[in-house]
Amino acid sequence: MIKLLSYFFTVFSASTALGLETYIYPPTIDININCSIDSKIIDDIETYYSDADLRHSGSASAQAVDLNGDGACEILLTPPPAHVDRGHEFTIVLMANKNSYQPAGEISWGTNSWRYGKFKNGYPRILVATYTGHRTNPIYVTDVYSFDGKTYVKEFDSQYSHGQFMDLGLKAYQNKNYKLAERWYLNAYRMHREENLSDANNLALVYIRQNRCTEAVDLLTKHLDLPNNTKRQVKSAEFNIGLCQKTHK
């Protein structure tokens, strides 16, 4: 039997975030996190974290996953919904250590709002769609968590929405600072859960301005058949592709 901890672990992640001006969202990746584990381990963990003596109410939910592809399961634990003193849903990562599963970081919200990004220290980054500001007028942002070798911590605590990244990109573009515009537009492109041709068009423009037509054409071609494309977006993409093809004849 896996020994359970004798306390409930809560981490308020210390941000190791880089400054907004230098941070670029990592590229997202597709990974298979399926993992099989003895159902008794799951039952024991859920029972333990649902214990009313630990000031919870309701039931915890645990899911076995293989985050780093090594064949050993981690556990993603969602505490009971009425857990006291917390204003939002969160998920605790539990990792095997000898004969026990120990907490290795707390990540905002549930896994439905997560995407996985480029690996760091052997584990994938986790991009989380969340919000900042007052709940009556929230700003929707994307935060990033990464593994520091022991635990998941917040790597980037974003305060900027997609629209704000777009505004910064446009301002830099108009000032002909194309490297800076690329950074803002790349963040706008990568923070979205779904790929978007409009964001790809903006990013392609700054590639073209930097004589990087091959990257621009590859990016736009990849997005031309997305189901949510508008005719205007497709027309803009085709114009930009044509511009590159003319330049390189």
Side-chain angles (χ1 to χ4, degrees), residues 90-111:
F90 62 101
T91 300
I92 298 171
V93 180
L94 301 174
M95 293 186 176
N97 185 0
K98 297 181 180 178
N99 65 337
S100 67
Y101 270 93
Q102 299 189 16
E106 179 184 303
I107 298 174
S108 294
W109 304 107
T111 56

Side-chain angles (χ1 to χ4, degrees), residues 50-229:
S50 300
D51 191 339
D53 292 338
L54 296 175
R55 304 197 309 152
H56 304 191
S57 58
S59 298
S61 174
Q63 175 191 3
V65 296
D66 183 5
L67 291 174
N68 63 348
D70 66 353
C73 295
E74 290 81 36
I75 303 292
L76 299 181
L77 175 76
T78 303
H83 178 28
V84 298
D85 300 329
R86 302 308 301 267
H88 60 80
E89 183 182 355
F90 62 101
T91 300
I92 298 171
V93 180
L94 301 174
M95 293 186 176
N97 185 0
K98 297 181 180 178
N99 65 337
S100 67
Y101 270 93
Q102 299 189 16
E106 179 184 303
I107 298 174
S108 294
W109 304 107
T111 56
N112 287 340
S113 67
W114 294 6
R115 288 174 295 149
Y116 296 100
K118 184 178 178 181
F119 274 57
K120 181 179 179 180
N121 294 321
Y123 283 84
R125 289 176 170 90
I126 298 175
L127 286 74
V128 182
T130 183
Y131 65 85
T132 188
H134 198 278
R135 290 187 180 191
T136 59
N137 188 27
I139 299 171
Y140 293 97
V141 299
T142 298
D143 291 339
V144 182
Y145 293 78
S146 63
F147 189 64
D148 69 0
K150 294 182 179 179
T151 184
Y152 267 95
V153 297
K154 188 177 283 187
E155 176 178 288
F156 183 55
D157 187 0
S158 179
Q159 302 298 310
Y160 279 12
S161 67
H162 177 266
Q164 289 169 313
F165 280 128
M166 293 286 289
D167 289 343
L168 289 165
L170 178 59
K171 183 177 179 181
Y173 185 87
Q174 290 172 336
N175 290 330
K176 299 184 179 180
N177 188 343
Y178 301 124
K179 285 302 291 184
L180 183 59
E182 177 185 349
R183 183 179 302 143
W184 297 131
Y185 282 145
L186 187 57
N187 277 343
Y189 171 75
R190 286 182 175 172
M191 76 171 288
H192 262 173
R193 190 174 184 88
E194 301 296 333
E195 292 182 324
N196 184 294
L197 180 56
S198 178
D199 289 336
N201 267 321
N202 291 323
L203 188 54
L205 277 175
V206 295
Y207 287 162
I208 293 169
R209 289 292 187 178
Q210 297 174 84
N211 298 313
R212 294 158 58 189
C213 264
T214 300
E215 290 174 76
V217 171
D218 287 348
L219 176 69
L220 292 173
T221 302
K222 186 174 77 170
H223 291 76
L224 277 176
D225 294 325
L226 295 177
N228 60 341
N229 288 346

